[in-house]
Amino acid sequence: MMYMTQGVEMNTTTGGGLSSGFQRMLTGQNFFISDYQYKGESGTTGTVALGTDFPSKIVRLNVPEYGGKIVCQKGALLCASHNIDIEMEFSKNFSTGFFGGEGFVLQGLTGDGDVFVKAGGTLIRRDLGAGETLRISSGCLVAFSSGVDYDVQMIKGFTNVFASGEGLFMTTLTGPGVVWLQGQPPERMISEIARRVPSG
């Protein structure tokens, strides 16, 4: 949080008990969760300003508009309405979690409300038709809507694998549904900065 105006009160809890807290930790969130409620005079409003831990764009998504569920990469969620549940969404196989660059545990966001997710660099939205496939570089995934199939496939061709700089595997997303991508994954930027820091 950056700031909150007069009349806004904060209440920090485990948000459903120890089990819910540990589930959030596994998806990249904090064990505790803070609720903000405005208790000022009737007819007035308050403001809560939130920032990110990395230069990012923030997008607001209404979960019911996307089939009642949005799946995000680990740590992509910034905040959500109080009636949004944060669940663990496991990769469906070992190769997807190990090679996909997104990890074994994703964030499943369900409920009747809004969520705010963050993306590094350029934020891209792609609407996929039924059976339409999009192949992306590891780490570029931000989120996808209910109905999108998430998998990992090996890049074909010896030269493509060793000369393209994309690695051995690419994440594959198959519609129907909506996909959000980021042009500058935090890990990629950190890696580039570290590579340029003089050693010794």
Side-chain angles (χ1 to χ4, degrees), residues 73-135:
Q73 73 161 340
K74 185 176 181 179
L77 177 65
L78 179 62
C79 64
S81 303
H82 72 280
N83 50 1
I84 294 294
D85 293 323
I86 306 172
E87 304 170 347
M88 289 187 294
E89 188 80 13
F90 290 99
S91 301
K92 65 182 182 181
N93 56 48
F94 178 82
S95 65
T96 300
F98 189 77
F99 298 112
E102 321 302 341
F104 291 102
V105 181
L106 302 175
Q107 295 175 321
L109 310 175
T110 60
D112 185 17
D114 296 336
V115 298
F116 291 79
V117 297
K118 54 187 178 181
T122 301
L123 176 66
I124 300 172
R125 169 179 167 153
R126 290 296 304 266
D127 293 80
L128 303 181
E132 183 180 357
T133 298
L134 186 68
R135 291 178 293 176

Side-chain angles (χ1 to χ4, degrees), residues 37-180:
Q37 185 177 8
Y38 181 67
K39 294 186 177 181
E41 297 181 2
S42 178
T44 62
T45 60
T47 300
V48 176
L50 301 174
T52 66
D53 54 359
F54 184 83
S56 308
K57 288 184 172 61
I58 300 172
V59 58
R60 178 180 181 177
L61 305 174
N62 182 257
V63 176
E65 291 182 5
Y66 300 99
K69 182 176 184 179
I70 293 175
V71 179
C72 299
Q73 73 161 340
K74 185 176 181 179
L77 177 65
L78 179 62
C79 64
S81 303
H82 72 280
N83 50 1
I84 294 294
D85 293 323
I86 306 172
E87 304 170 347
M88 289 187 294
E89 188 80 13
F90 290 99
S91 301
K92 65 182 182 181
N93 56 48
F94 178 82
S95 65
T96 300
F98 189 77
F99 298 112
E102 321 302 341
F104 291 102
V105 181
L106 302 175
Q107 295 175 321
L109 310 175
T110 60
D112 185 17
D114 296 336
V115 298
F116 291 79
V117 297
K118 54 187 178 181
T122 301
L123 176 66
I124 300 172
R125 169 179 167 153
R126 290 296 304 266
D127 293 80
L128 303 181
E132 183 180 357
T133 298
L134 186 68
R135 291 178 293 176
I136 66 173
S137 295
S138 298
C140 289
L141 178 65
V142 175
F144 54 88
S145 64
S146 177
V148 174
D149 183 65
Y150 169 68
D151 199 1
V152 167
Q153 294 182 356
M154 183 180 293
I155 297 176
K156 297 180 180 179
F158 178 86
T159 305
N160 291 334
V161 171
F162 291 98
S164 67
E166 299 296 338
L168 188 59
F169 295 87
M170 294 191 76
T171 301
T172 302
L173 303 163
T174 305
V178 183
V179 176
W180 293 269

